[in-house]
Amino acid sequence: MKYIQALANERFARSAAKLLTYACYFLIGFFALCTFLSFIGRQTFILHTSTKTFDHAIYAEEDHNPDSRGMTVHTNDVIHVWTGDGDQIHWTVQIGLFLMYAVHTVPIMLAFWFLSRVFSNVYRGHIFTNQNVSCLLYYGLLQCFTALFVPFAKLLICWITNCLSENRVQVSTGQTMLNTLVPSIAVLVAAYILHYGVHLQDEVDHTL
């Protein structure tokens, strides 16, 4: 109990909140960089040519030897791409790969932005506020969206890509759905608890 009280004191909580605010900014920048790398064709996938299969190929290169490349990005999804005539990859495949990556990272960046607002308010001593309730609610909803709807959005993008390209793309997604969904529901519950605390505080303020 003494250790819990030591960690729950205001000084430690505000210091941790300031650190977590910068951590959220870092994660937003990191995901933005990863999205840019995907945009320029440095997202890895499993490539099937007429003669060979490459486990970590990227669009932005001719030589698919892993030792020949620099920074690359990947998701938890398993993406297969089959080449067309002349063992070439159509540019629509690259657009599809980027959209499948962006539809995952953009909601996450927005979610971390809202979470950073909560930590910033806590650092300034503004805890029981409607802004914190709203930001936690938006964070939880965005994470729920990422868990429940993004996998289907990726499958739709994959289907459209296959319709527009002579190549064939296959994606296996949704493996981490529960890992994202359960914490996001916990955040929504925390938003409700905080909303209830704000309501009680307003009643006390009006009573006094």
Side-chain angles (χ1 to χ4, degrees):
M1 182 63 69
K2 292 182 179 180
Y3 295 108
I4 296 177
Q5 292 178 348
L7 293 175
N9 70 78
E10 181 179 358
R11 182 179 179 182
F12 177 82
R14 294 181 66 173
S15 299
K18 184 177 182 179
L19 178 62
L20 290 172
T21 301
Y22 290 118
C24 288
Y25 293 153
F26 172 80
L27 290 172
I28 292 171
F30 174 77
F31 281 113
L33 174 61
C34 290
T35 305
F36 175 74
L37 290 174
S38 175
F39 175 74
I40 63 176
R42 306 200 66 83
Q43 178 181 348
T44 61
F45 52 89
I46 301 174
L47 176 64
H48 303 274
T49 68
S50 59
T51 59
K52 192 175 181 181
T53 296
F54 300 91
D55 290 334
H56 300 285
I58 62 175
Y59 181 80
E61 66 181 358
E62 295 292 335
D63 181 10
H64 297 295
N65 184 352
D67 297 331
S68 66
R69 67 175 64 105
M71 296 180 63
T72 60
V73 295
H74 65 90
T75 65
N76 291 322
D77 307 321
V78 180
I79 302 176
H80 295 264
V81 176
W82 284 264
T83 58
D85 296 337
D87 278 343
Q88 297 298 313
I89 304 175
H90 198 258
W91 59 268
T92 53
V93 172
Q94 164 55 17
I95 294 178
L97 293 175
F98 165 68
L99 291 177
M100 282 190 282
Y101 195 89
V103 79
H104 178 81
T105 56
V106 171
I108 291 178
M109 286 189 285
L110 288 174
F112 277 117
W113 168 255
F114 287 118
L115 191 61
S116 71
R117 298 301 85 208
V118 176
F119 290 136
S120 179
N121 287 337
V122 171
Y123 170 69
R124 296 197 301 266
H126 304 153
I127 300 175
F128 291 100
T129 66
N130 287 319
Q131 184 184 29
N132 286 344
V133 174
S134 299
C135 288
L136 280 179
L137 180 63
Y138 293 147
Y139 174 84
L141 290 176
L142 283 167
Q143 292 288 46
C144 284
F145 173 82
T146 300
L148 296 176
F149 298 105
V150 166
F152 295 101
K154 290 179 179 179
L155 292 174
L156 177 61
I157 293 170
C158 182
W159 178 77
I160 295 174
T161 302
N162 286 327
C163 291
L164 299 177
S165 173
E166 63 181 16
N167 303 115
R168 184 161 66 93
V169 182
Q170 177 182 317
V171 58
S172 176
T173 185
Q175 295 89 337
T176 61
M177 178 184 293
L178 290 179
N179 292 340
T180 304
L181 183 61
V182 174
S184 62
I185 293 176
V187 171
L188 292 177
V189 173
Y192 168 75
I193 294 173
L194 187 61
H195 172 72
Y196 187 70
V198 172
H199 177 70
L200 290 179
Q201 187 180 55
D202 288 341
E203 286 188 349
V204 172
D205 292 341
H206 284 89
T207 301
L208 295 177

